[in-house]
Amino acid sequence: MKQVQLISRSLRQINNLYKKMLTKELSAFELDHHFEALLMLAIQERPITQNQLAELLQVDKSRVVSIISYLEQRKLIYIERNPADRREHYIHLSPDAVSSIPHIERSVEKINEVAEFGIEHEKLVTFFEVSEMIQQNLLKQAI
């Protein structure tokens, strides 16, 4: 009998190992895997809404509410109501979060170096191209 291989299994294993290493590397920050949200907020040119953050992180809105609550409790973000639309809230990085971004970025670079060790640049480019193609193929079918 032929064994069926799930692409998602390999990707999930990579994801779990990668996040585990980053969490260990960033344990002093107590971010509980939310470093990606901080990095995403840091690269924005202006404050963004909860809905925009959900889209950027590719998670549902209820998950973003949980992430925001966690980061707000740790004083890494603060929320500001949009004066033009009181239903809309902007998310800002706190000064503490801003000062921690360079350390988070260095940690990500360090883990990336470990993950990419011994892999030729061309193969990495191919990996990312193929990953993007798989994502696009699946998105087409999901619509």
Side-chain angles (χ1 to χ4, degrees):
M1 176 184 273
K2 180 182 173 188
Q3 183 177 353
V4 176
Q5 181 180 354
L6 293 172
I7 294 171
S8 62
R9 184 169 191 265
S10 294
L11 297 174
R12 190 173 43 252
Q13 288 173 330
I14 293 168
N15 183 52
N16 289 341
L17 288 168
Y18 188 86
K19 283 187 172 182
K20 183 177 180 179
M21 289 185 73
L22 267 176
T23 300
K24 183 178 178 183
E25 182 73 21
L26 297 169
S27 62
F29 290 97
E30 298 180 12
L31 293 174
D32 191 35
H33 301 294
H34 300 314
F35 40 81
E36 185 178 6
L38 292 179
L39 289 173
M40 196 62 70
L41 289 167
I43 63 173
Q44 302 307 308
E45 293 182 13
R46 54 190 158 95
I48 63 171
T49 65
Q50 293 178 1
N51 289 341
Q52 291 167 327
L53 183 59
E55 288 176 24
L56 291 169
L57 295 175
Q58 298 179 347
V59 297
D60 60 46
K61 294 173 191 171
S62 62
R63 180 73 180 128
V64 167
V65 169
S66 169
I67 291 169
I68 289 170
S69 175
Y70 186 90
L71 295 173
E72 194 173 24
Q73 287 174 2
R74 280 153 184 74
K75 300 187 183 342
L76 293 169
I77 62 167
Y78 64 93
I79 308 298
E80 174 186 53
R81 186 173 292 189
N82 178 353
D85 182 353
R86 295 185 349 203
R87 296 170 295 169
E88 196 170 65
H89 297 84
Y90 292 123
I91 306 165
H92 299 269
L93 289 176
S94 71
D96 285 345
V98 170
S99 67
S100 70
I101 293 298
H103 179 72
I104 295 170
E105 289 173 335
R106 282 191 302 274
S107 295
V108 169
E109 289 170 356
K110 178 180 174 183
I111 301 305
N112 286 352
E113 286 177 15
V114 170
E116 296 170 359
F117 180 77
I119 303 172
E120 297 171 20
H121 177 74
E122 295 79 22
K123 287 185 178 183
L124 284 171
V125 170
T126 301
F127 170 78
F128 288 116
E129 288 173 350
V130 169
S131 297
E132 180 64 29
M133 291 170 68
I134 290 171
Q135 184 177 358
Q136 293 305 316
N137 289 341
L138 294 174
L139 281 172
K140 287 177 193 173
Q141 292 298 311
I143 296 175

